[in-house]
Each structure stands twice: as structure tokens, then as C-alpha cells.
């Protein structure tokens, strides 16, 4: 196991941020940590990165205790910070990466090639010698990612890697993380963007009020929404009233929302029968997403 | 290796913020020199100008390193490295001290040359030794203050407060002997005072090796206190989670 967390707890003043949290992450696995603001995600990430001491319990990274063997933990862990800070704005991307690489334990030998390779890998080769303060948010975030993996860690902690990025930049970052997976890297991902989780994670941990509320493979987690697809039908005049559907009427028009437990030809045929004789102007089907399951669980 | 990497890194950072370097390393000593040039400058006054400029710069550059790193979010990644962060900080404060001392020395020399004032240094070798010690004392003071200022949220205010009293207690403005008797013992623990006495002596041809020794011992004490303070900062930060991830 790459990460083993047992009975981890941590309080700030009277507020319990983590309460008896236990889970394991296997080597090469990508696990997403989900939860609303204040659920304890950042606290857990900070403890695993050795920036914060736990109040109780234990956490081990590649067998090293995060309290007693912090240095050993750091030698096998890369941490990618979200946000605008964490880089030297007046220095170039190359100088930043070189310095952080040396902090991560890399020697001068072969450093230049390694830095160049990492910069190319995150698409910053052409901008390597520009001051970081001239970088876009996406470029900074890619540099953060390069800082995280330059020393070839075995475990990568990704804290909100795509926060504030546009769609293209976010996808580019996800692609880079996906590439990193091929080398067997274990990733613990924290993100509010569920598309990150859907594209990258094998498993989802849901933190609620500092406790692990769910620990499931991605597909099973999505299933917690309780339905497979949402069918929305719009029409005019009299409206049908199928079971388990909600209908919103606005004057002469109506909108029917139906959550179906499976979505296949038989359901489509049944729906056709239900709607026969009614004036339907539009029909749309959206497969259930992680967001639906997360919203249901988080607001439960 | 990380010590030298951190040193070069800090120098690169300061060169990138060249306006700051010009303000502290050029304008500051020039202003002081313009004031002392109203009388005929002696080696002692020129030494005092250099040390005053150096101390003022140390407070704003070396001593502010950790606080700036925290503000910019680079302290957390530094602490997460496998290298000893104390070595990193030491390298950075050394880089800051060396660069600022070189710029101040160059400014003062050039200014005296251009203004036609000749300052005679009776014992140049010992004066050079004293200058080297200045760099080390500045590093030690910067190292210690950087850690202490990080313990308080009022770091910038404390920085401002540190400049004038130390300048007075070091005897850079007026001799320590004319300070009130009860305050003079405070100057004993300020390494800059002893370095100033040694430099002045070397310039006059009578270097005070006791002052040199005391300056060196105090500098070592500053380093030790700095290392202890840093450890305290690190433990507190891990206990309270004050090193942000972003």
C-alpha cells in the first residue's frame, strides 16, 4: 500500500476537522478526495504532506510515518499546490524548477536535462526562460505540476490542480496527470471540479464533517445517485403523469423530469408509450454524473 | 550543495528585484555619505556609513526572507523539501548579505573616488578580515531575525523597530560610551558593535582583536539561536498548520 491512514484525527480549537479517518491507497491507484468546503480535505492533505501534525491516529506514506519519519515521507511524495502562490514570480520557470528540484533532493548531475524534460512534459519548454510573473494561471499550474513530479515521487498529492483554469488548460493538466499514471504513480487528488475526478480517479473517498462517509470505486460512487439517467421532456397542452416524475407547468407549456434506474431501448419504448398522444416539443436525456451522486450525498 | 544553490537563488531573486537593491545598496549609502561629506570623512565615518547601510539592508533583505517566502507561498514547498530548511535559509541569508555588502562596498568606493576623497586604511588586511566578518555577522543577524520575525505577525513593524536601536547600540552614529550607563550593557550582545570597533581599529592601525573575538563568538551564538528559533517555527507551523498549501 502506498498510503495507509488509520484513525486519523485533528482538531482546531473546538472544531474537529478530521475524526477517526481510515483508508488505504494501493500503488498506482488514483483516489479522489471529495467533500464540501470544511469537510477536512485540506487538513488531510496537509497531514499527508507533513505540513501539519495529526492530533491522533497515524498515516504512513510508502511505509514511512508522517510524524516520525517526515523526511522519508517527503522523499517519496510530491505535492502540487493549487492557487497563485508557491512560485518565485520574478524568476524564470526554469530557475524555479531547478531550485525546487534541488530542495527535493536532486543533485546537480543531470539536473539540467531533467528540468528541461519536465518543462517539455508540461508544455512550458518555450516559456522556460520567461519570468513566472508573466505566466498565465494555467502555465503556473503546469509549473506547479512539474515541481510535484520532477523528483520522480512515488506518491503525488494533488490539491485542487485545475482550480481557476479555463477548459483547455484544465484538460491539458488532466492529460499530463494521466500520462504520469503510466509510470505507476499513486495519486491522491482533491478537487472541486468533479470532471477531474471523473477523468482521473479509480476510487472516490467522500469526506463529511471530518469522517469518511463513502469509499467506493468511481462507477459505484456514481451509482449512489440512485438513477442512471435524467430524462427531461417539454411539451404543450395536457401533460402526462408518469410514476416517479416531476412536472413543472408554466401556462400552456410543461416540463417533465424523470429519473430512470436504467437507460436502454426498453425504457425508451416505455417512455414512448407514456408520451403517446401528448404534444411533445423537446426531449433530452442526460446520463447520471458524479456530480449528481456527490450532490445527493453531500446534501443528505 | 543546497547551501550554495540557495545562496545563488537568493542573489538571483535580489538581482531580479534590482530596484530594491539600488535603494538599499546604492541610494542609502550615498545619502549617508553626502551627510558625512560636509566634514572631511575619515576611515571611521566611512566604516560607519558602510555598516549602517549594511545593517539597514540586512533588516529589510536577509531578515525578511522567511516572511516574504511565507507571503509568496514558497515557504511551504521549502519546508517540504528533503534538504534541511535551515541550510536553505542560511544559504539565502548568506546570499543576501554578500550581495548587499558587495554593492555597498562598490558604491562607497566609487563615491569616494569620484568625489576625490581619499580614505586611508592603515591595515588593509585586517580591514578586509573585518569586512568578511561583517558579511558573516549580517548573515547571522539576518538568519536569527528572519526566524524571530516569522514567529510574530508583526514582522514588518519589528523590522522597522530593529533598525534605529541597533544602529545606536552598535556605536555607528555616536560612540557607545556617550549612551546612558544603564543602556550600554545592551550593546555587548550586538555583534555589529564589536565588528565596528574592530574595523575602526584596523583602519586606524590598531585592530582590537578582543572585539574581533567577541564579534565572532556572538555571531556563532546568533547562528545557534537562529537554528533553535527556526526549529521552533517549524514545529509550531506543523502543530498549528500555519504554512499554507497555496
Amino acid at each position: 500500500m502506498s498510503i495507509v491512514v488509520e484513525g486519523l484525527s485533528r482538531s482546531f480549537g473546538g472544531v474537529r476537522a478530521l475524526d477517526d479517518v481510515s483508508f488505504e491507497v494501493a500503488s498506482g491507484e488514483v483516489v479522489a478526495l471529495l467533500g464540501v468546503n470544511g469537510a477536512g480535505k485540506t487538513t488531510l492533505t496537509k497531514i499527508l504532506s507533513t505540513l501539519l501534525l495529526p492530533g491522533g491516529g497515524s498515516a504512513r506514506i510508502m511505509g514511512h510515518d508522517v510524524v516520525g519519519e517526515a523526511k522519508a515521507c517527503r522523499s517519496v511524495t510530491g505535492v502540487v499546490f493549487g492557487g497563485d502562490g508557491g512560485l518565485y514570480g520574478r524568476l524564470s520557470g526554469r530557475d524555479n524548477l531547478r531550485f525546487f528540484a534541488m530542495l527535493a533532493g536532486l543533485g546537480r548531475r543531470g539536473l539540467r536535462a531533467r528540468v528541461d524534460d519536465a518543462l517539455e512534459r508540461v508544455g512550458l519548454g518555450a516559456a522556460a526562460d520567461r519570468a513566472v510573473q508573466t505566466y498565465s494561471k494555467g502555465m503556473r499550474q503546469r509549473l506547479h505540476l512539474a515541481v510535484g513530479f520532477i523528483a520522480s515521487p512515488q506518491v503525488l498529492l494533488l490539491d485542487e490542480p485545475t482550480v481557476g483554469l479555463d477548459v483547455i488548460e484544465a484538460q491539458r493538466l488532466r492529460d499530463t496527470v494521466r500520462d504520469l499514471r503510466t509510470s505507476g504513480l499513486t495519486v491522491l487528488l482533491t478537487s472541486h471540479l468533479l470532471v477531474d475526478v471523473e477523468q482521473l480517479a479509480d476510487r472516490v473517498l467522500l469526506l463529511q464533517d471530518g469522517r469518511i462517509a463513502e469509499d467506493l470505486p468511481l462507477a459505484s460512487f456514481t451509482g449512489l445517485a440512485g438513477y442512471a439517467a435524467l430524462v427531461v421532456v417539454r411539451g404543450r397542452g395536457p401533460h402526462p403523469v408518469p410514476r416517479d416524475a416531476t412536472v413543472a407547468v408554466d401556462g400552456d407549456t410543461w416540463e417533465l423530469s424523470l429519473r430512470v434506474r436504467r437507460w436502454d431501448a426498453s425504457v425508451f419504448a416505455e417512455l414512448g408509450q407514456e408520451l403517446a398522444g401528448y404534444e411533445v416539443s423537446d426531449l433530452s436525456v442526460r446520463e447520471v454524473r458524479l456530480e449528481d451522486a456527490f450532490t445527493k450525498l453531500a446534501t443528505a | 550543495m543546497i547551501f550554495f544553490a540557495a545562496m545563488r537563488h537568493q542573489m538571483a531573486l535580489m538581482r531580479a528585484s534590482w530596484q530594491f537593491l539600488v535603494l538599499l545598496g546604492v541610494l542609502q549609502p550615498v545619502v549617508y555619505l553626502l551627510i558625512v561629506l560636509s566634514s572631511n570623512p575619515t576611515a571611521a565615518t566611512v566604516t560607519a556609513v558602510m555598516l549602517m547601510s549594511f545593517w539597514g539592508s540586512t533588516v529589510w533583505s536577509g531578515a525578511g526572507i522567511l516572511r516574504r517566502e511565507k507571503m509568496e507561498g514558497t515557504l511551504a514547498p521549502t519546508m517540504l523539501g528533503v534538504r534541511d530548511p535551515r541550510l536553505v535559509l542560511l544559504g539565502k541569508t548568506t546570499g543576501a548579505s554578500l550581495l548587499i555588502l558587495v554593492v555597498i562596498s562598490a558604491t562607497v568606493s566609487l563615491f569616494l573616488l569620484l568625489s576625490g576623497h581619499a580614505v586611508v586604511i592603515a591595515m588593509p588586511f585586517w580591514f578586509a578580515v573585518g569586512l568578511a566578518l561583517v558579511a558573516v555577522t549580517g548573515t547571522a543577524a539576518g538568519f536569527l531575525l528572519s526566524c524571530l520575525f516569522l514567529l510574530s505577525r508583526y514582522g514588518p513593524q519589528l523590522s522597522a523597530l530593529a533598525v534605529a536601536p541597533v544602529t545606536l547600540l552598535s556605536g555607528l552614529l555616536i560612540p557607545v560610551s556617550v549612551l546612558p550607563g544603564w543602556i550600554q550593557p545592551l550593546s555587548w550582545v550586538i555583534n555589529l558593535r564589536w565588528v565596528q570597533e574592530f574595523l575602526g581599529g584596523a583602519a586606524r592601525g590598531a585592530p582590537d582583536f578582543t572585539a574581533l573575538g567577541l564579534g565572532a563568538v556572538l555571531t556563532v551564538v546568533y547562528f545557534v539561536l537562529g537554528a533553535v528559533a527556526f526549529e521552533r517555527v517549524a514545529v509550531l507551523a506543523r502543530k498549528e498548520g500555519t504554512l499554507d498549501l497555496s
Side-chain angles (χ1 to χ4, degrees):
Chain A
M1 286 291 164
S2 292
I3 303 175
V4 178
V5 174
E6 287 177 324
L8 205 65
S9 63
R10 171 74 206 206
S11 297
F12 295 98
V15 180
R16 206 153 177 82
L18 289 179
D19 187 9
D20 195 25
V21 168
S22 301
F23 65 91
E24 293 180 347
V25 181
S27 294
E29 199 177 13
V30 177
V31 172
L33 202 56
L34 291 183
V36 295
N37 289 337
K41 304 186 298 293
T42 301
T43 303
L44 181 55
T45 309
K46 277 187 170 184
I47 290 174
L48 292 177
S49 68
T50 73
L51 273 180
L52 181 67
L53 292 172
S58 69
R60 303 183 81 81
I61 307 241
M62 304 305 296
H64 306 296
D65 183 65
V66 294
V67 178
E69 300 166 285
K71 191 175 172 183
C73 285
R74 290 170 194 153
S75 70
V76 293
T77 309
V79 185
V80 176
F81 307 97
D84 293 325
L87 297 168
Y88 297 97
R90 289 177 187 269
L91 298 185
S92 68
R94 188 190 306 281
D95 285 343
N96 267 276
L97 194 51
R98 186 163 37 209
F99 182 64
F100 286 119
M102 292 188 84
L103 287 180
L106 296 184
R108 295 181 69 81
R109 196 171 173 186
L111 184 63
R112 179 187 289 264
R114 205 145 169 182
V115 166
D116 287 346
D117 178 57
L119 286 166
E120 287 296 336
R121 210 161 164 184
V122 295
L124 288 175
D129 295 312
R130 268 171 51 195
V132 166
Q133 62 192 1
T134 67
Y135 281 16
S136 68
K137 196 174 178 68
M139 292 165 82
R140 281 169 187 250
Q141 203 57 10
R142 280 186 270 148
L143 185 57
H144 274 301
L145 188 60
V147 169
F149 73 71
I150 181 94
S152 304
Q154 289 165 282
V155 173
L156 190 63
L157 303 176
L158 283 174
D159 187 37
E160 304 284 357
T162 56
V163 68
L165 300 189
D166 63 43
V167 179
I168 307 294
E169 279 288 5
Q171 189 55 48
R172 193 198 297 230
L173 202 91
R174 283 192 284 270
D175 290 342
T176 310
V177 175
R178 205 177 284 122
D179 284 348
L180 290 170
R181 282 199 68 176
T182 56
S183 58
L185 189 68
T186 304
V187 180
L188 186 65
L189 164 74
T190 306
S191 179
H192 278 113
L193 286 179
L194 299 180
V195 64
D196 291 349
V197 179
E198 281 174 326
Q199 290 194 19
L200 297 171
D202 302 313
R203 215 172 96 216
V204 177
L205 295 174
L206 180 70
L207 266 177
Q208 272 181 329
D209 300 324
R211 301 179 75 98
I212 298 282
E214 299 289 346
D215 179 353
L216 292 168
L218 183 66
S220 306
F221 190 88
T222 307
L224 291 177
Y227 59 96
L230 176 69
V231 181
V232 178
V233 185
R234 292 188 187 87
R236 187 180 295 275
H239 60 79
V241 191
R243 278 170 298 154
D244 304 328
T246 56
V247 182
V249 179
D250 182 15
D252 191 34
T253 61
W254 48 267
E255 183 180 287
L256 182 146
S257 301
L258 179 65
R259 290 187 166 93
V260 293
R261 292 190 180 279
R262 64 180 200 285
W263 181 244
D264 55 23
S266 63
V267 175
F268 193 71
E270 282 174 28
L271 193 62
Q273 287 174 3
E274 293 266 11
L275 296 174
Y278 295 97
E279 187 182 339
V280 174
S281 58
D282 179 54
L283 185 146
S284 63
V285 181
R286 178 173 71 72
E287 275 191 281
V288 70
R289 290 194 297 241
L290 182 64
E291 185 181 341
D292 302 302
F294 177 67
T295 306
K296 182 183 176 187
L297 292 168
T299 56
Chain B
M1 275 302 108
I2 193 64
F3 171 84
F4 294 107
M7 195 173 91
R8 280 193 301 274
H9 174 80
Q10 184 61 29
M11 286 178 163
L13 269 176
M14 289 176 72
R15 282 197 304 273
S17 311
W18 60 268
Q19 299 93 335
F20 192 62
L21 201 57
V22 168
L23 197 68
L24 294 176
V26 179
L27 284 180
Q28 188 183 208
V30 164
V31 169
Y32 290 149
L33 282 169
L34 285 172
I35 294 168
V36 299
L37 275 186
S38 55
S39 60
N40 200 26
T42 62
T45 53
V46 169
T47 302
V49 161
M50 287 180 66
L51 290 181
M52 275 177 66
S53 304
F54 181 66
W55 173 242
S57 308
T58 298
V59 166
W60 293 114
S61 55
I65 286 174
L66 279 185
R67 191 163 30 82
R68 275 195 301 279
E69 298 263 348
K70 189 179 179 190
M71 277 168 56
E72 290 171 10
T74 47
L75 185 55
T78 302
M79 302 291 276
L80 287 180
V82 297
R83 309 289 193 185
D84 188 338
R86 285 171 298 192
L87 267 183
V88 177
L89 176 62
L90 200 57
K92 283 180 167 250
T93 43
T94 304
S97 296
L98 276 179
L99 185 60
I100 207 77
L101 188 62
V102 166
V103 175
I104 289 172
S105 301
T107 301
V108 170
S109 305
L110 196 65
F111 188 95
L112 291 175
L113 194 71
L114 293 176
S115 63
H117 288 87
V119 174
V120 178
I121 306 291
M123 302 183 87
F125 173 75
W126 289 114
F127 192 82
V129 170
L131 273 184
L133 186 62
V134 166
V136 183
T137 56
T139 302
F143 183 67
L144 175 61
L145 291 177
S146 195
C147 297
L148 293 179
F149 290 170
L150 195 64
L151 284 171
S152 167
R153 67 178 64 186
Y154 302 108
Q157 291 82 354
L158 289 172
S159 302
L161 272 177
V163 178
V166 172
T167 304
L168 275 174
L169 288 170
S170 307
L172 298 177
L173 276 178
I174 51 173
V176 174
S177 56
V178 302
L179 292 173
W182 62 270
I183 217 168
Q184 288 182 25
L186 284 177
S187 72
W188 300 344
V189 294
I190 294 177
N191 60 0
L192 205 61
R193 176 219 162 138
W194 304 109
V195 179
Q196 137 89 348
E197 288 195 5
F198 178 77
L199 273 178
R204 289 191 308 273
D208 180 348
F209 291 104
T210 307
L212 181 71
L214 283 170
V217 168
L218 276 174
T219 297
V220 172
V221 171
Y222 281 20
F223 277 130
V224 172
L225 288 177
V228 171
F230 188 91
E231 198 56 34
R232 175 104 181 109
V233 167
V235 170
L236 267 179
R238 284 189 79 199
K239 269 186 183 167
E240 297 171 5
T242 48
L243 294 178
D244 288 332
L245 280 169
S246 56

